[in-house]
Amino acid sequence: MSAASCLHTEDQFLCSICLDVFTDPVAIPCGHNFCKSCITDHWDVNVSCQCPNCKKVFNTKPELHVNTFISEMVAQFRQEASSSSSEQQVSKPGEVPCDVCTGTKLKALKSCLVCLVSYCETHLEPHLTTRGLKRHQLMDPVENLEGRMCEKHDKLLELFCKNDQMCVCALCSVTDHKTHDVVPLREGYEGKKVELGKTEAEIQQMIQKRRLKLEEFKQSVELSKKNADREVAKGVQVFSALMETVKRHLNNLMDTIKEKQRETEEQAEGFIKELQQEISDLEKRSSEVKKLSRSEDHFHLLQNITALNAAPPTKNWTGVRVHPPSYEGTVVRAVKQLEETLREQMKKLIFEAELKRVQQYEVDLTLDPDTAHPWLILSDDGKQVHCGDEEKNLPDNPERFDCCCDVLSKQSFSSGRFYFEVQVKGKTEWDLGVARESINRKGPIILSPQNGLWTIYLRNKNEYKALAGPSVHLSLQSDPEKVGVFVDYEEGLVSFYDVDAAALIYSFTGCSFTEKLYPYFEPSLNHGGKNSAPLIISPVRHTE
């Protein structure tokens, strides 16, 4: 049974109420058929028993019996429809339909390159059984078979011209493309397939590179956000400290002005109190004078006037003044003092921030015993060095210093930035810095950038110099107990810091580095125990 006939039969077996294939079909007296449950529910809802199709009304509710004939037909229909749908499928959107099917188009199973027609399983059968059709070239179903024909010769495009990179027919190969490199489609297909494989590999490589670059950009954004958040936090901390300083100086200014005003008020209140007392005494005396002057008793007046003449002494207030304090210049002096304080505080905060910045480039160093002068004594962990009292018998390696009490680290650096800290507490002499790899290891060494050394030194307990060739005298506010050394290879920068004071000691700028750089240490001679303290490579103590 074809799909078309199945659909026609299905129309005959549809219930007019549920519009689906009958389930337990029953016939009512007027001859129309319905699902038993559908007509029963219909009559339960409506008061009168009426046929939904012809509208005939029944006085009594008809007794319903399943129509066995229609029920068997429905069962047969369901079985045939199921069998048909399992054998062949109706063409769906995106699938190639059969060009022969009328009505419902079934899915094409093959396309014929000779007939230029696509066939479903049923209509493909002649190509599988008929002798003449068996020779036709079949392929998986494709659309637009007409596009596979040569418009000029109406022949199948079964060849590929490598010169013009186009499909051609057999006649084209002996006319327009006679001298060209023409191959069968399969050979051209296989060649292009290899090219597509290479192209796909290149595309995947490009995708991978771009994904890596995308991830790099994302990481850069995340790093930028972290750096921005850190800088914002630092900014809030610095400006909060500055605002606190301003607030403190403002309070001091206000306290100074209020104190002057208080002293003026106390002085004036003392004068006022004294004057009020004298006025009270004088008023009392005036009252006594008036009373005595009105007396008619000669004896009484003469007897008491002597006592009245002896008036209490009064203060001469002519030259007494209350001078308001002069506030002129008070604010100006306070602002100048604030400016100086802020300048010093800002300088300290800036150096603290700078020190924290370079400390993030900390490296872990250990001293190299193969470079150490025979007088030097290194600790087992390679973190400390001091000068001994006698020269050890050591192999004279090419790397070893034989004249100066020097030692280098095992680690070297030829790019980027690095930072390390050295404890110099208790020493009266020392040299610190970095040295290039080709530095002279044998004989005396002149410490200068020209000779490959960027160093500072201490002599005589408090004499600090940067050995810049010529030397630069360094004036330090305090003797550093721990020195930080920072190097930016590409920038050509070597900076020394007083770690505890968070102060810059000295910077070599504009340096030109072309070799490996090694951290350089010279604890100097022992001097009878006066300079016996070691140089100690210390871990960085990070603070928030």
Side-chain angles (χ1 to χ4, degrees), residues 294-305:
R294 288 196 295 266
S295 176
E296 297 294 336
D297 186 344
H298 302 164
F299 175 82
H300 177 71
L301 186 148
L302 295 173
Q303 188 69 22
N304 291 285
I305 194 170

Side-chain angles (χ1 to χ4, degrees), residues 366-428:
T366 51
L367 300 171
D368 185 359
D370 290 338
T371 66
H373 186 277
W375 283 86
L376 296 181
I377 299 175
L378 277 59
S379 62
D380 293 338
D381 61 0
K383 299 294 184 181
Q384 301 185 27
V385 58
H386 69 278
C387 190
D389 294 325
E390 59 181 18
E391 183 174 350
K392 298 191 294 293
N393 185 17
L394 297 174
D396 187 17
N397 301 324
E399 299 85 5
R400 190 181 307 283
F401 293 96
D402 67 355
C403 184
C404 301
C405 293
D406 304 336
V407 62
L408 302 179
S409 70
K410 292 181 179 180
Q411 294 75 21
S412 64
F413 305 89
S414 56
S415 64
R417 305 177 179 96
F418 63 94
Y419 174 84
F420 60 94
E421 292 181 354
V422 181
Q423 180 177 307
V424 296
K425 181 180 180 181
K427 296 192 66 61
T428 59

Side-chain angles (χ1 to χ4, degrees), residues 167-383:
C167 297
V168 297
C169 69
L171 287 177
C172 289
S173 67
V174 296
T175 56
D176 299 340
H177 302 265
K178 184 177 180 179
T179 60
H180 293 182
D181 186 7
V182 178
V183 297
L185 283 182
R186 176 174 293 278
E187 184 177 338
Y189 163 84
E190 290 175 351
K192 291 299 180 184
K193 200 72 179 292
V194 173
E195 291 180 9
L196 288 174
K198 293 180 180 178
T199 302
E200 172 64 15
E202 291 174 357
I203 292 174
Q204 288 299 325
Q205 188 176 12
M206 292 170 66
I207 291 173
Q208 184 64 22
K209 287 182 178 179
R210 280 154 179 78
R211 283 177 176 168
L212 292 174
K213 183 59 69 174
L214 179 64
E215 188 63 28
E216 178 185 331
F217 289 157
K218 290 181 179 179
Q219 291 178 357
S220 296
V221 171
E222 184 65 25
L223 179 61
S224 175
K225 184 179 183 302
K226 290 181 179 179
N227 290 340
D229 292 342
R230 183 173 62 252
E231 289 304 311
V232 167
K234 288 181 181 177
V236 170
Q237 182 180 4
V238 169
F239 279 88
S240 295
L242 294 176
M243 288 188 290
E244 184 64 31
T245 300
V246 173
K247 184 178 179 181
R248 184 171 64 253
H249 277 256
L250 175 60
N251 290 336
N252 291 340
L253 172 63
M254 295 174 63
D255 290 343
T256 299
I257 295 174
K258 288 179 180 179
E259 178 62 23
K260 289 184 177 181
Q261 176 62 16
R262 185 187 62 79
E263 292 175 355
T264 301
E265 289 179 355
E266 289 182 353
Q267 182 187 33
E269 287 175 357
F271 290 158
I272 291 171
K273 185 176 181 181
E274 187 176 352
L275 281 171
Q276 287 176 340
Q277 181 62 46
E278 289 190 5
I279 291 172
S280 176
D281 292 342
L282 290 173
E283 288 178 344
K284 181 179 179 183
R285 176 112 179 129
S286 175
S287 176
E288 292 177 353
V289 168
K290 289 179 181 180
K291 181 179 179 182
L292 187 60
S293 65
R294 288 196 295 266
S295 176
E296 297 294 336
D297 186 344
H298 302 164
F299 175 82
H300 177 71
L301 186 148
L302 295 173
Q303 188 69 22
N304 291 285
I305 194 170
T306 303
L308 190 61
N309 287 334
T314 58
K315 184 175 181 178
N316 182 6
W317 291 92
T318 304
V320 178
R321 297 285 188 275
V322 174
H323 298 282
S326 174
Y327 301 108
E328 183 178 354
T330 303
V331 175
V332 174
R333 287 190 298 272
V335 170
K336 287 184 177 180
Q337 184 180 3
L338 172 61
E339 182 181 7
E340 184 63 27
T341 303
L342 287 177
R343 185 182 297 110
E344 292 299 322
Q345 188 173 2
M346 287 173 62
K347 183 177 179 181
K348 186 175 186 298
L349 290 172
I350 289 172
F351 279 127
E352 286 178 350
E354 172 66 13
L355 183 59
K356 289 180 181 179
R357 183 187 70 82
V358 301
Q359 283 179 333
Q360 65 181 317
Y361 299 105
E362 176 191 9
V363 292
D364 186 16
L365 300 180
T366 51
L367 300 171
D368 185 359
D370 290 338
T371 66
H373 186 277
W375 283 86
L376 296 181
I377 299 175
L378 277 59
S379 62
D380 293 338
D381 61 0
K383 299 294 184 181

Side-chain angles (χ1 to χ4, degrees), residues 468-479:
S471 299
V472 177
H473 181 74
L474 303 176
S475 297
L476 307 184
Q477 292 184 350
S478 60
D479 294 327

